Amino acid sequence: MYIRIRTQLILVLALISVTVVALLSYILITAQRRSMIVQLERHSHEYVETIKSSTRYAMMHNQREELHEIIDAIGRQPTVIKARILNKAGTIVYSPNDTEEGAKVDMEAEACFGCHTEGQPRERLDRRDLFRFFTDQEDRPYLGLISPIYNELAC
């Protein structure tokens, strides 16, 4: 009888230990994943702000060839799937893929929801509206980032 109680106690403690470890593992993995996504969004946002700063001079001085070269260089980066500049109407103005230029994007597509929820472009976007996660043809996730270039007085 003494062995039976001891065995039962060991089994109960083992079950409790496994449950606690599983729960803590889930909480830690979830928190780590959330932290990694926040870091990915922050770094991506900084990357896009650097791109916007780099293209600003060419845009302000209407140096279209220089702007095209900048967008081409960005599009050749191995971590960049697409880099495009669109106007408010959804027409692709600059793209590393020359066949895309002049084409209109689908304003009903998921990537456009943040800016064009009611059919009209919004004046300002919340930071949470800039990021979307998509999957490619091989079902791998990637981050989509839209960063509007707002008109300035100097424009």
Side-chain angles (χ1 to χ4, degrees):
M1 180 146 179
Y2 177 71
I3 296 173
R4 190 170 172 195
I5 293 173
R6 187 171 60 181
T7 305
Q8 288 176 353
L9 184 61
I10 289 172
L11 287 176
V12 168
L13 288 174
L15 183 62
I16 291 171
S17 297
V18 168
T19 304
V20 168
V21 168
L23 182 63
L24 288 176
S25 295
Y26 174 77
I27 291 169
L28 288 172
I29 289 170
T30 303
Q32 180 67 21
R33 184 173 193 271
R34 193 175 313 126
S35 174
M36 289 174 65
I37 288 172
V38 166
Q39 291 296 324
L40 175 65
E41 289 176 350
R42 186 173 63 83
H43 289 297
S44 298
H45 184 70
E46 290 171 359
Y47 184 67
V48 168
E49 288 302 313
T50 301
I51 292 169
K52 285 169 43 174
S53 297
S54 301
T55 58
R56 185 180 184 281
Y57 183 84
M59 285 187 200
M60 296 299 287
H61 291 88
N62 201 24
Q63 296 175 339
R64 294 177 181 271
E65 194 60 38
E66 184 177 330
L67 185 58
H68 208 286
E69 288 297 322
I70 293 169
I71 298 300
D72 283 347
I74 293 165
R76 286 191 299 266
Q77 298 297 314
T79 57
V80 175
I81 295 173
K82 286 186 181 180
R84 304 182 291 191
I85 295 180
L86 291 79
N87 63 16
K88 275 188 178 184
T91 303
I92 300 171
V93 182
Y94 294 102
S95 171
N97 182 354
D98 292 333
T99 60
E100 285 186 336
E101 288 185 11
K104 282 191 72 107
V105 296
D106 179 13
M107 300 297 244
E108 302 295 319
E110 183 181 352
C112 298
F113 289 165
C115 299
H116 301 273
T117 52
E118 291 89 32
Q120 291 286 5
R122 289 176 32 198
E123 290 299 317
R124 296 280 175 204
L125 292 177
D126 295 330
R127 188 175 169 107
R128 62 178 156 56
D129 292 329
L130 302 177
F131 302 97
R132 297 266 193 304
F133 282 93
F134 300 98
T135 54
D136 63 9
Q137 294 85 0
E138 297 171 7
D139 212 31
R140 293 179 300 200
Y142 66 93
L143 176 69
L145 174 60
I146 297 172
S147 185
I149 301 172
Y150 299 110
N151 284 334
E152 301 174 14
L153 291 175
C155 292

